[in-house]
Amino acid sequence: MSMALKQVFNKDRTFRPKRKFEPGTQRFELHKKAQASLNAGLDLKQAVQLPHGEDLNDWVAVHVVDFFNRINLIYGTISDSCTDQTCPVMSGGPKYEYRWQDEHKYKRPTALSAPKYMSLLMDWIEVQINNENIFPTNVGTPFPKSFMQVAKKILSRLFRVFVHVYIHHFDRVTQMGAEAHVNTCYKHFFYFVTEFNLTDQKELEPLKEMTSRMCH
């Protein structure tokens, strides 16, 4: 890891505190299992597979939180070059524009600058993953029927962060020596969402060519 990259990641430049898993919980043990697979250098395609005897909802919940933390950090590394001036529209090249919609202020899809979109996105995800009714942390508390639907929406929106970073800010990523780190995180994310069919193919379109070179 380059010195510039070390400085960035040591600052832990996330927008907000990382969601942690409580020691002693099943989710914490699953998180450790997932991390151990990665640290052991296990092939990423294998690392994302559901461990024998584990619950799919738990496995997805662990990864949603982990990807939120990691992608949040990746965006934080380039956020100084992603401004209302440089990125007045949240996009992935000329063909793809992402509009924000939520249940509160933006009831209709609304064009926003990339940093504004990112800020709303991270706030929205944080609310979801800290909502005990959606992401229960107590052992024995069942996941709601809508859990997978919410997880898919979170992961689809997080994918858009990769799209924007790769298409508009990859020179900054390379300049900081973070290319290998971002590529590994992307591959891990891609293998996970495709293993469990958690993102629509149309969402994956903007990075299709790059993905076929990197992941196949």
Side-chain angles (χ1 to χ4, degrees):
M1 191 183 280
S2 71
M3 280 307 292
L5 185 56
K6 268 188 178 159
Q7 286 169 356
V8 167
F9 287 117
N10 286 345
K11 284 178 190 167
D12 199 17
R13 289 178 60 182
T14 48
F15 290 120
R16 48 201 47 79
K18 290 169 78 169
R19 169 76 191 264
K20 295 282 198 304
F21 299 101
E22 290 298 318
T25 62
Q26 185 182 7
R27 205 75 51 77
F28 180 76
E29 294 306 316
L30 266 184
H31 179 64
K32 280 203 310 189
K33 194 177 282 189
Q35 290 305 307
S37 296
L38 294 176
N39 295 340
L42 193 68
D43 174 74
L44 285 170
K45 260 187 175 175
Q46 285 181 274
V48 299
Q49 291 171 8
L50 180 67
H52 181 68
E54 297 295 353
D55 178 67
L56 178 59
N57 285 336
D58 272 316
W59 190 239
V60 170
V62 162
H63 283 79
V64 167
V65 173
D66 192 44
F67 286 132
F68 167 66
N69 288 334
R70 290 164 67 190
I71 294 168
N72 201 357
L73 183 56
I74 287 169
Y75 181 69
T77 66
I78 60 90
S79 59
D80 57 348
S81 60
C82 183
T83 66
D84 292 340
Q85 287 71 43
T86 61
C87 304
V89 175
M90 173 58 181
S91 61
K95 281 173 68 179
Y96 300 95
E97 180 183 325
Y98 301 118
R99 301 191 167 203
W100 182 256
Q101 185 175 15
D102 56 34
E103 303 82 37
H104 307 293
K105 188 176 175 184
Y106 300 96
K107 301 270 175 92
R108 293 181 181 177
T110 306
L112 299 170
S113 69
K116 178 70 174 165
Y117 184 102
M118 297 291 187
S119 184
L120 287 167
L121 172 60
M122 299 306 176
D123 282 341
W124 175 77
I125 294 174
E126 191 179 28
V127 168
Q128 308 308 308
I129 64 178
N130 284 296
N131 183 339
E132 284 285 331
N133 293 323
I134 302 173
F135 280 74
T137 52
N138 294 325
V139 177
T141 304
F143 284 85
K145 287 178 181 171
S146 61
F147 172 72
M148 278 297 174
Q149 192 181 341
V150 174
K152 282 182 178 181
K153 193 168 184 179
I154 291 173
L155 292 167
S156 294
R157 286 179 162 184
L158 280 174
F159 185 80
R160 298 172 182 185
V161 181
F162 277 122
V163 173
H164 186 74
V165 168
Y166 270 115
I167 292 175
H168 296 280
H169 300 289
F170 204 67
D171 53 344
R172 181 82 177 117
V173 170
T174 307
Q175 185 187 355
M176 299 177 78
E179 187 174 351
H181 174 87
V182 175
N183 286 347
T184 300
C185 186
Y186 174 73
K187 284 201 283 188
H188 187 193
F189 182 95
F190 175 78
Y191 286 137
F192 187 79
V193 298
T194 50
E195 171 75 15
F196 301 107
N197 196 25
L198 293 168
T199 303
D200 291 339
Q201 284 301 312
K202 65 177 174 33
E203 283 285 351
L204 303 175
E205 271 306 306
L207 297 181
K208 194 173 180 181
E209 279 184 35
M210 183 198 80
T211 305
S212 64
R213 289 196 308 272
M214 196 188 287
C215 299
H216 299 295

